[in-house]
């Protein structure tokens, strides 16, 4: 059991914080790296340029841990204070958060007992996540955005634009332009819209076969797939599209899906209306109890416990549990029974909401879509014991560099695979002015080497800085990572190096995008 650090001199109501307006920056808990004061209350507000988005990274933290972070905590708001909460954290691990606008607020609070070393945080801004007009496919997580077909895309490629917004939002998609270069184009290409992920979800429409140019999702996920059908060289289709998201307020039941767990909330008033109390609702595992928050019952459901069921179907990994009511009181038999299926379908975070009501039993199915997340971290040596926290990371021209990619999960059956890595002066662009280190799983530099790891969801590799620092004085390392089920022998993770000479008929694999850096030459 870890020893509690000695208490510093009491300093009631210690306050700190500031407004950060730069395109990137750093801030820490008060007195870091020393112990933070008791009863701290610090607020940082990040305000960046219009039409930009914020990525906030915590490379590590050491706070007093407690259930639901009731003692010491860091709370991240998606905008000004009082906006929707992106996360409330206190555990010793790495975290990454993304804003849906150019504003983000971070609040640190400590109680009057245990103190620790606290945290440091870094943020960067991006303008590219709101528009991917020059890219063939991509993942959108902002509440609104635009995209279009790219003439630079290879005519033999399949492009997938996957939109995955916050839980409890639905997506409205509109094609402002759709033009075929000749009447036969639809025999060579297709542009399909799916209500969720590309392979598992219902087809909302194919634009060649319908006059519809407006589509709505039934959940927080929608996909657009542009596919070449025959061996024509004509690009065939040109289009432009935009989307926006609308919040769906469910006053009875909500479901939030995360990389490693789901949170379900049930209204106490809703249970009362069915004739049940908070003591009569259970998960698959009745030992997983809810906590009571005001007028809500909140179930925290890890994917690896509480008898959560895992299933792999096409392009999703599904995690399912059930909430049901039970009572021995005869009077309750006349009440409607509740059977609520909770489902998180992970297309690398999560999917669908639909409700079915019957007279004698209510079988509710609540599903949300989501995306996995991963971290890319530099280490000082091949022992991988000491991560690099200070950036820019200054290196020598011939210095060996060591990187670790880690999937944010506790699921031992998931595998992480490094598909492509580049060195680039732009942390948000992997297509222009880049130097390839790995491409389609194949090493592109002679000094590339891998290192053993204790977990299949962690990949370690290294290379020499001379490969790319001779071209750029300061770069970011960007990697595209693929998540697979360990038991799936035909998955992309088991295919290794794959030089694509021509298009193959295979499932599309979307990637997790991870960035580390910047790395800067010592002379600069």
């Amino acid at each position: 059991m870890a020893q509690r650090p000695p208490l510093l001199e009491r300093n009631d109501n210690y306050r700190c914080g500031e407004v950060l307006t730069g395109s990137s920056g750093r801030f820490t808990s008060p007195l870091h790296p020393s112990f933070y004061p008791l009863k701290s209350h610090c607020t940082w507000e990040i305000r960046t340029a219009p039409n930009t988005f914020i990525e906030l990274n915590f490379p590590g933290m050491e706070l007093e841990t407690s259930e639901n972070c009731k003692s010491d905590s860091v709370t991240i708001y998606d905008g000004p204070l009082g906006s929707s909460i992106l996360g409330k954290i206190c555990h010793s691990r790495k975290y990454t958060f993304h804003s849906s606008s150019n504003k983000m607020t971070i609040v640190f609070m400590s109680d009057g007992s245990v103190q620790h070393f606290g945290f440091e945080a870094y943020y960067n801004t991006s303008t590219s996540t709101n528009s991917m007009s020059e890219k063939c496919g991509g993942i959108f997580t902002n509440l609104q955005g635009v995209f279009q077909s790219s003439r630079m895309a290879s005519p033999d490629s399949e492009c997938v634009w996957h939109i995955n917004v916050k839980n409890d939002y639905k997506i409205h998609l509109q094609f402002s332009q759709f033009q075929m270069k000749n009447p036969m184009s639809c025999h060579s290409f297709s542009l399909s819209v799916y209500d969720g992920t590309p392979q598992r979800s219902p087809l909302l429409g194919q634009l060649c076969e319908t006059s519809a140019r407006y589509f709505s999702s039934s959940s927080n996920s929608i996909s657009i797939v542009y596919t070449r059908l025959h061996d024509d060289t004509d690009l065939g289709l040109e289009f432009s599209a935009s989307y926006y998201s609308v919040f769906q307020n469910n006053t009875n039941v909500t479901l939030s899906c995360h990389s490693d767990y789901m949170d379900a909330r049930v209204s106490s008033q809703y249970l009362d209306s069915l004739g049940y109390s908070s003591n009569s609702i259970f998960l698959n595992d009745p030992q997983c109890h809810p906590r009571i928050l005001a007028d809500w019952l909140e179930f925290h459901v890890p994917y690896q416990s509480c008898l959560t069921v895992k299933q792999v179907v096409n392009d999703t990994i599904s995690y399912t549990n059930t909430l049901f009511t039970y009572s021995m009181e005869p009077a309750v038999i006349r009440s409607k029974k509740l059977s609520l299926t909770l489902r998180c379908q992970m297309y690398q975070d999560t999917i669908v909401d639909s409700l079915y009501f019957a007279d004698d039993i209510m079988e509710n199915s609540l599903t949300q879509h989501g995306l996995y997340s991963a971290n890319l971290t530099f280490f000082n040596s091949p022992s991988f014991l000491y991560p690099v926290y200070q950036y820019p990371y200054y290196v020598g021209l011939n210095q060996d560099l060591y990187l670790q990619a880690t999937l944010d999960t506790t699921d031992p059956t998931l595998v992480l695979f490094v598909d492509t890595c580049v060195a680039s002066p732009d942390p948000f662009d992997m297509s222009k002015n880049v130097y390839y280190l790995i491409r389609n799983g194949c090493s592109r530099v002679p000094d590339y080497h891998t290192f053993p790891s204790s977990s299949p969801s962690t990949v370690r590799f290294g290379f020499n800085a001379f490969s790319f620092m001779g071209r750029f004085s300061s770069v970011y390392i960007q990697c595209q990572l693929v998540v697979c089920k360990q038991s799936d022998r035909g998955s992309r993770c088991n295919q290794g190096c794959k030089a694509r000479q021509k298009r193959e008929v295979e499932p599309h694999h979307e990637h997790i995008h991870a960035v580390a850096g910047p790395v800067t030459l010592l002379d600069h």
Side-chain angles (χ1 to χ4, degrees), residues 58-354:
F58 293 86
M61 65 169 49
E62 188 172 342
L63 305 182
E64 178 187 2
T65 58
S66 59
E67 183 180 1
N68 301 312
C69 299
K70 293 179 180 178
S71 299
D72 299 349
S73 66
V74 178
T75 305
I76 299 90
Y77 295 88
D78 189 20
L81 197 65
S83 304
S84 59
I85 295 177
L86 295 175
K88 185 176 182 180
I89 57 179
C90 62
H91 298 282
S92 300
R93 46 165 286 194
K94 300 177 184 178
Y95 297 91
T96 300
F97 300 95
H98 295 88
S99 71
S100 61
S101 70
N102 64 325
K103 295 181 181 179
M104 181 183 282
T105 303
I106 301 91
V107 177
F108 167 66
M109 299 186 69
S110 64
D111 61 10
S113 57
V114 178
Q115 297 166 289
H116 279 292
F117 297 104
F119 65 88
E120 56 182 348
Y122 299 85
Y123 76 90
N124 290 288
T125 53
S126 163
T127 58
S128 62
T129 52
N130 197 44
S131 174
M132 290 188 174
S133 59
E134 296 299 324
K135 297 183 180 180
C136 178
I139 294 179
F140 295 82
T141 57
N142 294 310
L143 294 179
Q144 59 184 1
V146 297
F147 58 94
Q148 63 188 40
S149 59
S150 173
R151 290 185 175 273
M152 298 178 65
S154 171
D156 63 353
S157 60
E158 177 185 71
C159 306
V160 177
W161 291 266
H162 181 63
I163 305 171
N164 196 108
V165 298
K166 296 179 181 179
N167 297 290
D168 298 321
Y169 279 81
K170 293 187 178 180
I171 301 165
H172 297 268
L173 172 69
Q174 183 173 9
F175 288 85
S176 56
Q177 177 189 5
F178 179 76
Q179 183 177 1
M180 295 177 290
K181 295 189 68 175
N182 61 67
M184 298 300 293
S185 291
C186 281
H187 294 284
S188 302
F189 294 85
S190 71
L191 188 65
S192 306
V193 181
Y194 293 91
D195 190 17
T197 57
Q199 295 184 44
R200 180 182 175 87
S201 305
L203 177 68
L204 293 177
Q206 288 184 318
L207 271 73
C208 279
E209 299 177 0
T210 177
S211 60
R213 298 293 179 265
Y214 179 85
F215 303 91
S216 298
S217 69
S218 63
S219 71
N220 65 322
S221 178
I222 201 169
S223 297
I224 302 91
V225 181
Y226 176 61
T227 307
R228 180 185 183 224
L229 302 179
H230 300 297
D231 295 329
D232 297 315
T233 57
D234 183 15
L235 282 178
L237 302 178
E238 296 180 12
F239 68 88
S240 298
S242 62
Y243 75 92
Y244 65 94
S245 308
V246 177
F247 180 69
Q248 303 295 311
N249 186 16
N250 187 335
T251 58
N252 295 326
V253 182
T254 66
L255 176 64
S256 299
C257 296
H258 305 273
S259 188
D260 208 32
Y261 65 92
M262 66 177 86
D263 282 328
R265 303 205 325 162
V266 182
S267 168
S268 299
Q269 295 180 355
Y270 177 53
L271 285 179
D272 292 341
S273 69
L274 302 179
Y276 290 95
S277 69
S278 59
N279 296 323
S280 58
I281 185 167
F282 304 93
L283 285 170
N284 287 350
D285 184 353
Q287 300 302 316
C288 293
H289 300 285
R291 65 169 183 162
I292 300 177
L293 297 174
D295 295 328
W296 291 86
L297 269 70
E298 183 175 88
F299 287 85
H300 179 77
V301 190
Y303 296 151
Q304 302 305 308
S305 60
C306 296
L307 297 182
T308 303
V309 178
K310 293 180 292 184
Q311 185 180 16
V312 181
V313 180
N314 295 330
D315 55 353
T316 63
I317 300 175
S318 174
Y319 300 94
T320 306
N321 211 306
T322 305
L323 287 177
F324 61 92
T325 51
Y326 176 77
S327 178
M328 294 298 294
E329 300 177 16
V332 180
I333 296 178
R334 295 192 298 270
S335 301
K336 295 180 179 179
K337 298 178 181 179
L338 172 64
S339 177
L340 173 62
T341 299
L342 308 173
R343 182 174 296 112
C344 285
Q345 292 176 290
M346 307 298 288
Y347 180 56
Q348 272 119 229
D349 220 61
T350 293
I351 289 181
V352 175
D353 68 319
S354 60

Side-chain angles (χ1 to χ4, degrees), residues 370-506:
L371 302 167
Y372 287 116
S373 60
N375 295 302
L376 189 64
T377 307
F378 279 105
F379 280 77
N380 287 321
S381 71
S383 66
F384 289 90
L385 294 177
Y386 304 105
V388 175
Y389 288 146
Q390 300 294 333
Y391 290 97
Y393 178 28
Y394 290 98
V395 302
L397 184 61
N398 293 303
Q399 182 174 333
D400 287 327
L401 304 181
Y402 307 96
L403 273 167
Q404 176 175 283
T406 304
L407 182 65
D408 185 14
T409 183
T410 58
D411 188 345
T413 65
L414 296 182
V415 178
L416 189 64
F417 176 73
V418 181
D419 183 84
T420 298
C421 286
V422 300
S424 167
D426 185 345
F428 308 110
D429 194 340
M430 289 189 67
S431 60
K432 297 178 182 177
N433 204 24
V434 300
Y435 185 97
Y436 280 95
L437 303 169
I438 309 168
R439 191 169 191 176
N440 298 328
C442 306
S443 169
R444 299 295 296 270
V445 291
D447 51 6
Y448 175 81
H449 41 276
T450 60
F451 298 90
S453 168
S454 60
S455 169
S457 59
T458 296
V459 181
R460 293 171 172 173
F461 55 99
F463 41 83
N464 191 279
F466 180 80
S467 300
F468 55 88
M469 297 306 285
R471 182 175 177 183
F472 308 112
S473 61
S474 183
V475 300
Y476 294 83
I477 304 301
Q478 303 181 66
C479 292
Q480 290 181 334
L481 312 171
V482 179
V483 181
C484 308
K485 199 70 174 175
Q486 196 170 26
S487 58
D488 185 2
R489 296 183 178 179
S491 69
R492 176 69 187 96
C493 300
N494 284 326
Q495 294 171 359
C497 174
K498 191 174 183 183
R500 297 182 179 178
Q501 302 297 327
K502 60 180 181 179
R503 185 176 183 268
E504 301 178 16
V505 179
E506 62 175 21

